[in-house]
Structure formats: structure tokens, C-alpha cells
């Protein structure tokens, strides 16, 4: 590992700065990693919603990745919005060629405002090519259901079952985010690991619980959490430790989100809450 670790985000741009590569680069920096970025799409959006998406040509996504990997020793990769099947395929090809040590895949499908961010035909490519290349995938409840072609889990038992079904698609670990269970007083994520410490037996299941933060400023929470995990994994001995640290960071960013006053819709979390007074 380099010092500091080098993290790469492969995702779209968010002009409002709350999600996408802007959020990822902030989360990398806040968690002690040097950030690099490869763009998959440009978006026109603000805190109220997304009005347009302009996908980057897949060949140029490939050129960005190959050029970066030819020179920069990337320690960890976070994958976010991929827009369409051709881009998802191009990213999968680059990962197969360059084999970075840690890969965190956040299957971004729908924005906070409800705008579809991943074309329907790209879901199959995501499931069949990228999930097996990921060390950790971080879907929320609706995204997990979408990947499996079923309804979102309604309780813990269903969430654990769906996480284990996702492992069967080839992913090594699944962090199923429980933030959509808004009636609960606590936000409980479930980390399911197919890599048992003894090399045998059922997958490990770890629950990560934090108090639910009462704020409407949740734009970019998924991007921020997955980016923080990617930044922290090279700095920690195992995945559960890195995920716990990233969840604690996100909880702090949510608690401080109301102090930013960015836009009139769903504002961003406070990526630098530890450093700004």
C-alpha cells in the first residue's frame, strides 16, 4: 500500500457537489486517502433533482481507466453510477485487466429524488460481470431487490435472505443498507461475508447499528458511505472494521448536515464535519 492510500472513484459528476465523484473525492480526503476519479457520465442536477444525463462514450471511459492504471498505483476502487450497459461492460473489462486490490461497488440505480440513473439493460451486466469482481457491494434495500428481480426486503429476515442471494451471484461480501426502514429508531446495516474465517461453513453476518439521524439532508449518503469504505479498507485489517469506521463517519456527516444550508431540496451530508468549525 502507498502512503497515503490511493483511492479511485468510477462514477458520474454531480454539479451540486453532494453525490457522485464530488462526494467521493470529499469522502476520500476526509478519511485519509488520496482521491482519483474516472468519469462515466455528466449530470444536470441540484438538490431538487436530476434534469439530464450525458453518458461518456465507453471507449473514453476505457481510455481514462487504462491511462490512470498505467501510471498510478491504485489501492482501492469505488464504483458508483455507470449509466448504461456499455459503460458497465467497459469498467468490468478494465477491472479484469488491472485487478486492483480492493473493489467496492455501489449499485447506483435511482437518485434520492427518484430519477432513474441506470438503464434497465445495464442491470444484467452489473449483476453478471461486475458483482463477481467486487470485494464488497453496498446496495440499499430497493437496489438489492432490483438486482434480484424482486421486491425490497421488509424486515431483517428478508434482508439477510436477499444479501445471501446476492452472494450467490458471485459477490464476496454484501453490505445491505437498512436506511429505507424509516420507521425504525436505529439505522441497521447488514454485512454478510461469504469468506468464512475458517474457510468453511455459512456466511458471516454482522449487524452495524447507529441512531437514525433526523434530517432531510441525505443527498449522497450512499456515495459517501461506499467511498469512505474504499478509503478506509487499505488502512484497516479487515472489512468489518473498515465498514464500522465508515458508518461512524457517515453518521457524523448526517448529524452535521443541517449546518451547511446548501440548496432548497435534499441537501448534502457534511463530508468535512470533523474539520470545519
Amino acid at each position: 500500500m502507498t502512503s497515503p492510500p490511493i483511492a479511485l472513484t468510477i462514477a458520474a459528476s454531480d454539479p451540486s457537489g453532494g453525490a457522485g465523484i464530488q462526494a467521493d473525492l470529499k469522502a476520500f480526503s476526509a478519511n485519509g486517502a488520496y482521491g482519483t476519479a474516472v468519469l462515466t457520465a455528466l449530470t444536470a442536477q441540484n438538490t431538487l433533482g436530476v434534469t439530464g444525463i450525458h453518458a461518456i462514450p465507453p471507449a473514453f471511459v476505457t481510455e481514462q481507466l487504462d491511462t490512470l492504471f498505467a501510471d498510478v498505483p491504485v489501492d482501492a476502487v469505488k464504483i458508483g453510477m455507470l449509466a448504461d450497459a456499455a459503460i458497465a461492460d467497459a469498467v468490468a473489462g478494465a477491472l479484469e485487466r488491472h485487478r486492483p486490490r480492493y473493489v467496492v461497488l455501489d449499485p447506483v440505480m435511482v437518485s434520492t429524488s427518484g430519477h432513474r440513473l441506470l438503464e434497465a439493460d445495464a442491470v444484467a451486466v452489473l449483476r453478471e460481470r461486475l458483482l463477481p469482481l467486487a470485494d464488497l457491494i453496498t446496495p440499499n434495500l430497493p437496489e438489492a431487490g432490483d438486482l434480484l428481480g424482486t421486491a425490497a426486503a421488509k424486515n431483517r429476515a428478508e434482508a439477510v435472505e436477499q444479501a445471501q442471494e446476492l452472494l450467490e451471484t458471485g459477490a464476496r461480501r454484501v453490505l445491505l443498507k437498512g436506511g429505507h426502514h424509516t420507521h425504525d429508531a436505529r439505522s441497521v446495516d447488514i454485512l454478510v461475508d461469504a469468506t468464512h474465517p475458517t474457510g468453511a461453513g455459512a456466511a458471516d453476518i454482522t449487524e452495524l447499528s447507529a441512531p437514525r439521524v433526523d434530517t432531510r439532508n441525505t443527498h449522497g449518503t450512499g456515495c459517501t458511505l461506499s467511498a469512505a469504505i474504499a478509503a478506509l479498507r487499505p488502512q484497516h485489517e479487515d472489512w468489518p472494521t473498515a465498514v464500522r469506521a465508515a458508518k461512524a463517519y457517515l453518521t457524523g456527516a448526517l448529524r452535521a448536515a443541517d449546518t451547511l444550508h446548501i440548496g432548497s431540496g435534499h441537501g448534502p451530508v457534511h463530508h468535512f464535519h470533523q474539520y470545519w468549525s
Side-chain angles (χ1 to χ4, degrees):
M1 188 190 81
T2 57
S3 182
I6 298 173
L8 164 64
T9 170
I10 306 171
S13 171
D14 171 13
S16 73
I21 62 162
Q22 287 84 349
D24 294 345
L25 291 171
K26 292 173 186 176
F28 289 165
S29 295
N31 287 283
Y34 178 87
T36 62
V38 164
L39 278 166
T40 59
L42 306 177
T43 69
Q45 68 175 295
N46 55 27
T47 64
L48 298 172
V50 180
T51 62
I53 297 173
H54 177 72
I56 304 296
F60 193 68
V61 173
T62 295
E63 184 175 354
Q64 291 180 77
L65 287 164
D66 286 346
T67 301
L68 179 67
F69 277 110
D71 176 53
V72 178
V74 174
D75 295 296
V77 174
K78 173 264 169 81
I79 304 170
M81 177 183 161
L82 296 173
D84 60 35
I87 292 173
D89 200 54
V91 171
L95 293 180
E96 288 168 348
R97 285 191 301 278
H98 300 292
R99 296 289 177 178
R101 184 175 183 186
Y102 302 116
V103 177
V104 178
L105 170 62
D106 185 25
V108 178
M109 297 180 180
V110 179
S111 69
T112 303
S113 60
H115 192 102
R116 185 82 189 181
L117 300 176
L118 185 71
E119 294 181 2
D121 63 346
V123 177
V125 179
L126 195 71
R127 183 172 55 242
E128 294 164 13
R129 291 207 65 194
L130 279 169
L131 262 62
L133 295 170
D135 297 289
L136 175 71
I137 64 172
T138 62
N140 58 34
L141 297 173
E143 289 164 349
D146 209 343
L147 285 169
L148 293 169
T150 188
K154 299 180 180 64
N155 52 51
R156 181 191 181 279
E158 290 183 4
V160 171
E161 181 179 355
Q162 289 193 0
Q164 291 177 322
E165 289 177 14
L166 286 169
L167 290 180
E168 294 172 6
T169 66
R172 298 176 184 87
R173 299 164 192 85
V174 178
L175 178 66
L176 189 50
K177 299 175 290 190
H180 282 71
H181 284 162
T182 54
H183 57 279
D184 296 337
R186 299 186 69 82
S187 173
V188 180
D189 300 337
I190 297 172
L191 176 63
V192 182
D193 191 339
T195 311
H196 195 273
T198 61
D204 285 343
I205 300 174
T206 304
E207 288 193 1
L208 301 102
S209 177
R212 186 173 298 280
V213 179
D214 183 17
T215 177
R216 70 194 298 265
N217 296 315
T218 57
H219 183 52
T221 51
C223 301
T224 299
L225 179 63
S226 56
I229 295 170
L232 290 165
R233 179 60 186 92
Q235 305 176 65
H236 288 80
E237 62 182 359
D238 56 34
W239 286 98
T241 306
V243 172
R244 286 186 188 280
K247 186 173 176 67
Y249 162 75
L250 177 61
T251 299
L254 283 164
R255 284 175 174 157
D258 291 353
T259 66
L260 286 178
H261 309 293
I262 306 296
S264 55
H266 292 285
V269 303
H270 196 327
H271 294 92
F272 295 112
H273 62 277
Q274 315 105 302
Y275 306 109
W276 294 8
S277 60

